[in-house]
Amino acid sequence: MTKHACSRRSFIGMAGAGIAGAALPRWAVAGLFADARDAELVVFNAKVYTVDSKLANAEAFAVRGGKFIAVGKSADIKDLIGKKTQIIDAQQMTVVPGFIDSHNHASGNTLLYEVLVGNPYEVEFVTISSIVDKLRLKAKTTPADTWVEGFFFDDTKLKDKRALDVHDLDQVSTELPVAVHHRGGHTTFYNSKALKMAGVTKTTPGVAGGTYDRDGSGELNGRVTDRAREVLYKVGKRPSYSADETMRRDREGLAYISKQFVRFGLTGVCHEGGNLRALEEVRARGDLLHRVSYEAEGAELEAMISGGMTTGLGDDWIKLGATFEHTADGSFSERTMALSIPYPGTSSGYKGNVTETQEVLNAWCERVHRAGIQLNCHANGDVAIDHVLTAYERALQLVPRPDARPKITHCTLINDDLVRRIKAINAVPALFTSYAYYNPDKFHFYGEELMKRCMAYRTLLDAGIPAAAGSDFDPGPFSPLMGIQGMVTRTGWNGEVWGANQRITVDEALRVNTINGAYATREEASKGSITPGKLADFVILAEDLHTVEPEKIKDIRVVRTVVGGLTAYRA
Ligand SMILES: [Zn+2]
């Protein structure tokens, strides 16, 4: 016998090749058995919240081949430790399944390359002068006719007790077009030069699905909403990059945001569009740390339809998911979503922006659904959710497909009838997560009566609808723990409580952020809980979110994030 025969692995080979069918001696069977069961990773001495009702109160688990192979008591799982097993003594820390974000604009380029005039991750108040200063600096190196742009602006996170306006942005430049984009993505603030270049004057009427806002004396104040911005997109220059340079920037952006995701405990994220080729290159380079459900739009969606690619194509790292959010109305945070009543506290009768006609919506949904692709529309207001459900019901009736799970991104303001219809077609809503904590400064625009029906996790879960968590980053911070805190407390950073009737428990919030996210992408059989056979995606937390003060959940330290059994982040 060679020296290798002493090792158990060699012995398996010999046993398999040489004495197949023969009864193995007892000691050999024991050796074979132990080797086959050896784990690559064992985590023990932990408080494991599996999110699998059959596996409650676990202390430990083992991983092999990137998947969980056993979950149970520390003493039992330790039996699976072999010579090469990586061992983590969790020292009674908490372990939960990897968090899943079901709606995220995850390019990362903005974070890396643009002027950020607000804080992407946390509640932070800034001054208008800080915004003007940052953009002035940018303007100094900006060529003629080229846009000077600021990102991550939040109109209710200003230390000045007034709104940003056209006069502030005229301080940046009177020669160059200037735009400050609200992080919500549906409103932009422009300077006079930009409005002039687009031919917008104080007499320009609004468009269907958009407005040019005015101050008390009827002058343009610089705020332009939703589709009224289209004329401004067409003027001015933006930096152009070669194909190689674009690819490099997109790769760097994706690699950068992947690091941020795992830092916050996210192991799965639905990407709203983005450069698919760059994503694949990031993965090939070993820089993709989280799993991606890719939600195609534009050219990529057309390629899916014409090429016969349907939802689910791909693998456990990059998979084609639902479509990009096809937008049916405006924004919740920027107060342009389509309501059935005028905005409370306003005298104009404004009911928000419907950004797509029912006819166009119907046709789009039918075409996508016929192509075998999971539908996904953005709808915030009750009017828009009604429109989207009408289009979904129609498509499903024309082309019945069991378990199509059409997705409703945001699904913010519901009523009993909408809930009944969502349930009837098994639609999957992906609600805002961090807003309850991050955005209480906007809820007074709606008032308590409407807030009782907004981000209605309690109502939807009670109806048996598996609501998922969609941060909508950039609009909302993507920290899942900030999201869970808001779902549990409905209390904002400022201590205000809105829609307390929609509170859910910590366990429910965990499900929303894990298994319900897996369900929304049709992957509940392979992820979303700590269950043998599923992908070994989990997070070790320094404290137990069940026992810590609820208003401290967002501050719990992510100690380690593991994706497919490999550590993607370590504090
Ligand atoms: Zn979005």
Side-chain angles (χ1 to χ4, degrees):
M1 292 198 40
T2 68
K3 60 185 170 143
H4 299 295
C6 303
S7 82
R8 291 180 300 177
R9 275 178 214 286
S10 303
F11 184 73
I12 291 175
M14 194 190 86
I19 40 177
L24 290 168
R26 190 178 157 75
W27 57 270
V29 174
L32 180 68
F33 192 52
D35 182 73
R37 292 189 354 157
D38 274 4
E40 287 161 6
L41 168 67
V42 161
V43 178
F44 71 100
N45 191 24
K47 287 157 86 174
V48 185
Y49 294 96
T50 61
V51 189
D52 182 333
S53 55
K54 296 189 282 302
L55 296 164
N57 304 322
E59 302 167 349
F61 53 84
V63 174
R64 188 187 175 99
K67 294 182 175 175
F68 297 113
I69 55 167
V71 182
K73 299 266 178 236
S74 289
D76 299 334
I77 299 298
K78 278 183 175 173
D79 282 351
L80 302 174
I81 295 175
K83 283 195 184 123
K84 289 180 177 168
T85 305
Q86 185 198 353
I87 303 163
I88 298 175
D89 177 350
Q91 300 176 317
Q92 280 301 299
M93 286 191 287
T94 291
V95 179
V96 297
F99 296 118
I100 295 172
D101 188 341
S102 299
H103 181 67
N104 196 306
H105 299 263
S107 85
N109 294 33
T110 309
L111 296 173
L112 264 192
Y113 299 116
E114 302 294 350
V115 177
L116 308 184
V117 299
N119 187 327
Y121 307 109
E122 311 275 356
V123 173
E124 182 185 335
F125 278 65
V126 303
T127 59
I128 289 174
S129 67
S130 76
I131 296 171
V132 170
D133 287 348
K134 283 181 179 180
L135 293 174
R136 265 190 187 152
L137 200 63
K138 177 76 177 176
K140 279 187 184 162
T141 57
T142 303
D145 289 335
T146 305
W147 283 95
V148 177
E149 296 177 284
F151 293 84
F152 282 96
F153 174 67
D154 187 332
D155 69 311
T156 58
K157 303 288 187 299
L158 285 175
K159 284 181 184 165
D160 317 67
K161 299 279 177 228
R162 65 175 183 84
L164 178 76
D165 65 25
V166 65
H167 308 295
D168 298 313
L169 300 184
D170 286 345
Q171 304 283 313
V172 175
S173 177
T174 52
E175 303 293 316
L176 299 167
V178 177
V180 169
H181 304 286
H182 198 289
R183 69 179 298 164
H186 291 250
T187 57
T188 303
F189 298 73
Y190 296 97
N191 70 344
S192 299
K193 174 74 178 179
L195 294 164
K196 194 175 170 203
M197 284 167 76
V200 177
T201 68
K202 67 177 185 178
T203 57
T204 305
V207 302
T211 58
Y212 302 103
D213 292 0
R214 290 161 174 82
D215 63 20
S217 54
E219 301 291 330
L220 291 169
N221 65 13
R223 182 177 187 257
V224 182
T225 70
D226 285 304
R227 300 194 73 161
R229 297 175 298 175
E230 285 168 10
V231 290
L232 287 128
Y233 296 153
K234 291 176 190 147
V235 299
K237 292 183 196 155
R238 290 188 166 76
S240 66
Y241 303 101
S242 68
D244 282 354
E245 185 68 357
T246 299
M247 193 58 80
R248 184 187 65 75
R249 288 166 62 93
D250 288 351
R251 272 199 314 264
E252 285 180 1
L254 285 162
Y256 179 79
I257 205 164
S258 190
K259 280 191 197 141
Q260 309 308 315
F261 287 154
V262 295
R263 182 161 75 89
F264 283 90
L266 287 167
T267 61
V269 177
C270 289
H271 280 222
E272 292 304 293
N275 187 333
L276 183 56
R277 177 69 188 278
L279 191 61
E280 289 168 33
E281 288 188 12
V282 169
R283 178 192 182 176
R285 289 166 184 237
D287 293 334
L288 185 64
L289 304 175
H290 68 284
R291 302 184 194 280
V292 175
S293 179
Y294 182 83
E295 300 190 326
E297 73 169 327
E300 285 81 5
L301 180 58
E302 289 307 315
M304 280 180 75
I305 294 171
S306 62
M309 291 174 270
T310 59
T311 299
L313 189 69
D315 62 16
D316 292 329
W317 284 94
I318 303 175
K319 193 174 278 188
L320 297 178
T323 66
F324 183 90
E325 53 172 333
H326 187 85
T327 303
D329 74 338
S331 150
F332 172 74
S333 67
E334 297 151 276
R335 290 88 66 192
T336 66
M337 73 185 196
L339 300 181
S340 54
I341 56 166
Y343 270 71
T346 61
S347 54
S348 63
Y350 179 64
K351 292 182 173 181
N353 299 338
V354 171
T355 56
E356 197 74 288
T357 64
Q358 186 72 62
E359 235 173 20
V360 173
L361 203 54
N362 287 352
W364 185 86
C365 288
E366 181 186 337
R367 181 162 176 262
V368 165
H369 179 68
R370 276 190 193 281
I373 300 166
Q374 188 183 2
L375 287 162
N376 181 18
C377 288
H378 154 124
N380 272 306
D382 51 353
V383 168
I385 298 169
D386 165 58
H387 288 186
V388 166
L389 284 168
T390 299
Y392 285 179
E393 288 157 354
R394 179 181 171 276
L396 287 164
Q397 198 158 27
L398 288 170
V399 187
R401 192 161 72 236
D403 209 20
R405 301 188 201 178
K407 183 171 172 178
I408 306 176
T409 289
H410 311 321
C411 199
T412 305
L413 175 66
I414 50 92
N415 57 45
D416 291 347
D417 187 51
L418 295 175
V419 172
R420 182 188 57 72
R421 292 167 65 194
I422 291 166
K423 172 87 176 157
I425 60 167
N426 194 24
V428 285
L431 278 57
F432 291 118
T433 58
S434 52
Y435 275 21
Y437 174 80
Y438 180 82
N439 268 336
D441 35 47
K442 298 179 177 73
F443 298 163
H444 65 93
F445 292 110
Y446 294 100
E448 175 66 5
E449 278 317 300
L450 289 187
M451 287 311 300
K452 280 181 179 167
R453 297 192 278 120
C454 281
M455 299 171 290
Y457 280 106
R458 174 81 279 145
T459 301
L460 292 164
L461 294 184
D462 285 349
I465 296 164
S471 73
D472 198 26
F473 188 79
D474 305 348
F478 55 68
S479 161
L481 289 169
M482 183 191 284
I484 289 173
Q485 175 170 323
M487 292 171 204
V488 170
T489 66
R490 292 289 285 208
T491 304
W493 62 266
N494 55 9
E496 289 178 13
V497 179
W498 293 89
N501 60 313
Q502 295 296 347
R503 281 177 182 149
I504 58 176
T505 67
V506 169
D507 272 331
E508 287 169 330
L510 252 185
R511 293 184 66 82
V512 163
N513 283 273
T514 57
I515 191 73
N516 289 7
Y519 184 85
T521 55
R522 316 176 60 83
E523 294 173 291
E524 72 276 14
S526 64
K527 58 193 210 187
S529 66
I530 297 177
T531 302
K534 287 197 182 184
L535 296 165
D537 302 348
F538 63 90
V539 184
I540 303 179
L541 301 171
E543 288 168 283
D544 185 348
L545 62 178
H546 294 75
T547 54
V548 78
E549 298 279 319
E551 53 277 12
K552 297 239 163 67
I553 292 174
K554 73 174 178 58
D555 302 321
I556 294 174
R557 197 161 55 95
V558 174
V559 174
R560 191 192 286 253
T561 302
V562 177
V563 187
L566 299 174
T567 296
Y569 168 77
R570 212 175 157 176

